[in-house]
Each structure stands twice: as structure tokens, then as C-alpha cells.
Amino acid sequence: MDLSPLQPRIDLLLAAAALDAALGDPVYRWHPVRLLGASLAWCEHRLRAAGADGRGGGCLLFGVLGTCWVGGVSLALLGAHRLHPAAAAAAHLFTLYSLLAFGDLLAHGQAVDRAATAGDLPRARRAVGRLVGRDVEALDGAACRRATIESLAESLTDGVVSPIAWYALLGAPGLVLGKVVSTMDSMVGYRTPRYLRFGWCGARLDDLLQALPARATWLLIALAAAVLPGCSGRQALAAGWREHAVLPGPNAGWSEAAMAGALARRLVGPIRLQGRLVTETWLGDPASPPAGTAADYRRAQAIVRTATALALAAAAGGIGLVWSSSAS
């Protein structure tokens, strides 16, 4: 069987990234990520109804979703290729465009910054509430921007670098599999009584799949900061190495600590969830001021844009090297 329609393509990756940056992620009922979320919720309901609500049920959820979505998308791409190569390219491009989150990430961040700059705190809080899970009712403009910068740094890993990396390594099936795991983690991976056991599989798989991308993002942020004015690649590298374990989980701290170092600003600080103080931990040099100005946000946005461009360049080089040699 000709599996070339599933292999990564540099031209389609760059085209999808350009579309995503220019147009963002359109909101419509049949968006693939929405359908994935709906299918996950349906499977969870059926598994729990059948009594499979422990770790085994969570593993079965992954097996069902992975098989259906990776298999379904792969068959659709192969079927399109049988119709015409142009149809296969269009379907492949649509898959890539739908599963990258760069444009939407920046659009949400800009909404927070514009509202904070205008002094419209209710609008800034509503906008940042779409990015983070913490309580936002008491946040001032600086705290709204700081939370946004943290979200930019964390989402750079799981919404940009990770899908690009798994696509470059495993083609369209790898991209879809990564999105399945990421969606499981975001929907059932909570450390709550309801999901502590059922969500174990999704949370652990996400930790595993994000491990290399998280560390790559640390290096990409440092490289981006090294070439951008007002940023420090050296501090980004040092902060990521020194403070990556401060935040819960094995991966989130790499990019957030690196961003704090790159900006020479402190991030995180006091966070409340459902009225309860869950952390007062700061990332970054204690001598640095807290992040929160419009200039801080603009520098963070520039770092994210530059790091994304570097990730795309590295992926294009990897695709050209690995896949071209394997085809010859």
C-alpha cells in the first residue's frame, strides 16, 4: 500500500502554519477538535455506564479514540489520494491547519492585552479566563497580562512545538495521535476524585508525549531571546534549567521558566482557584520585577513568533533529511 499521503510534507506544513497565523482557528460546529471532544465525552459516558471507570477504562478510552481517529484520518487521506493527488493534498492541508493552534493562541493573547491597555478590566478578565483555569475576578491589568504570558509559554509547547514535532517524526498519524492524547489530558486528566483514576492514562501519556517538545521549547525560547532586542537567551537557558521543576508536572516549567528568564521578569505568583490560594510561587530571578506591562507582553509575543518560526525551520530540515533519505 502506498503510504505517501500520510508522510509529512514541508510545503503543506508551511502552508498550514501560514494559514493558521493569518486566519486563526475558525469556530464552526464540525471542527475536528470539537468532534474529537464530543467523541471523547460520548465514549467516557458509555465506559462509565459499563463500569469501566478506573484506570482500565481510561486506557480503553485511549485505545478506542486512538484507533478511531488515527485510523479514520489515515483512511480518509489514503482515500483522497486514490481519487486524485490534489484531493489528498487538500485533505492533508486541512488536517494540519485544523490541529495547529498558533494563530488562535496569539489572538486570545492580543485580546487580553488590548483590554488591559484600554483599562477595561472586566473585558481583560473575561479574555484571560478563556486561557487559564484560575480565578480571574480579582486580577488587575498586570496580572491579566502575566497570566497571558504564562499561557503563551505553556501553549507554545503543547499547541505548536509538540504537534509540529510529532508531525515531522510520524506524519499525519503522529499529529492526530498527539491531539488525541492532548484532548484526553485537557478533558479527563484532572487530579480530582472523578478523574484521578479514569484520567490517569491520558495524563501520563500527555506527560510522555510532551517530554521532548517541552525541552525543545526551552531551547527554542532561549534561541529566540538571543536574537531579539531586550531579551536574554542566556537567562532563558539558565532559568529553564534551574527552575523547570518548580511547577507541578514534568513539562510545563521548562517553557514558563525559560520565558521568565528571557524577559528578565517574574511569572506566576499568587494563584487562586475556587477562592483558595493554591500557590504563591514565583518563577524567575527574585531581583526581577513581576511581568505585566504592555512591553512585556509584546516581547513575549515576539519570542513566541520567533520560536515558532525556528520550530518550523527545524521540522522542515528534519523532514527533508529523514523522510527524503528513507524514500531513496
Side-chain angles (χ1 to χ4, degrees):
M1 179 184 292
D2 181 11
L3 297 180
S4 60
L6 306 182
Q7 295 178 4
R9 285 180 48 174
I10 297 171
D11 57 340
L12 295 182
L13 174 61
L14 297 181
L19 281 173
D20 186 63
L23 303 178
D25 203 18
V27 178
Y28 60 97
R29 183 178 180 182
W30 303 108
H31 191 291
V33 177
R34 285 193 172 197
L35 294 178
L36 173 57
S39 65
L40 188 154
W42 185 89
C43 288
E44 178 189 355
H45 177 73
R46 295 301 184 277
L47 287 168
R48 288 187 183 276
D53 57 355
R55 287 189 176 185
C59 293
L60 187 56
L61 175 67
F62 168 69
V64 171
L65 287 177
T67 299
C68 291
W69 276 91
V70 175
V73 171
S74 298
L75 288 174
L77 293 177
L78 291 170
H81 183 67
R82 292 188 65 181
L83 290 175
H84 196 278
H92 199 131
L93 177 62
F94 172 76
T95 302
L96 273 165
Y97 172 49
S98 298
L99 300 185
L100 291 178
F102 173 67
D104 231 31
L105 173 64
L106 291 182
H108 284 307
Q110 288 168 345
V112 176
D113 181 59
R114 283 195 298 267
T117 299
D120 189 344
L121 279 180
R123 184 158 61 95
R125 290 165 181 162
R126 287 194 300 271
V128 80
R130 291 190 284 270
L131 291 173
V132 299
R134 70 193 68 171
D135 295 346
V136 299
E137 294 79 9
L139 299 183
D140 60 13
C144 286
R145 283 200 188 93
R146 186 162 59 249
T148 302
I149 292 170
E150 295 156 19
S151 181
L152 285 177
E154 183 178 5
S155 298
L156 179 61
T157 296
D158 54 30
V160 180
V161 175
S162 182
I164 289 174
W166 289 113
Y167 175 73
L169 287 170
L170 300 176
L175 175 69
V176 177
L177 181 65
K179 182 56 68 173
V180 167
V181 171
S182 176
T183 304
M184 285 183 63
D185 182 59
S186 65
M187 291 184 66
V188 302
Y190 299 104
R191 291 183 177 274
T192 62
R194 176 175 173 80
Y195 288 117
L196 188 62
R197 299 181 71 246
F198 187 81
W200 173 84
C201 179
R204 297 291 76 76
L205 282 174
D206 190 69
D207 288 344
L208 180 63
L209 289 189
Q210 303 295 348
L212 288 177
R215 288 146 182 82
T217 304
W218 162 52
L219 298 176
L220 290 168
I221 288 174
L223 285 172
V227 300
L228 290 171
C231 302
S232 173
R234 180 184 60 79
Q235 290 188 53
L237 203 62
W241 181 258
R242 183 180 65 245
E243 300 182 62
H244 66 269
V246 170
L247 297 182
N251 298 320
W254 287 96
S255 58
E256 291 193 40
M259 183 65 79
L263 299 174
R265 295 290 187 268
R266 285 184 291 153
L267 294 175
V268 189
I271 293 177
R272 293 184 177 275
L273 184 61
Q274 298 179 345
R276 182 172 60 90
L277 184 67
V278 294
T279 184
E280 292 184 282
T281 301
W282 289 92
L283 285 177
D285 190 331
S288 298
T293 68
D296 293 337
Y297 172 76
R298 286 194 296 271
R299 287 188 297 143
Q301 187 183 63
I303 288 170
V304 169
R305 289 182 182 276
T306 305
T308 299
L310 291 170
L312 288 168
I319 293 169
L321 181 65
V322 175
W323 289 93
S324 295
S325 62
S326 65
S328 59

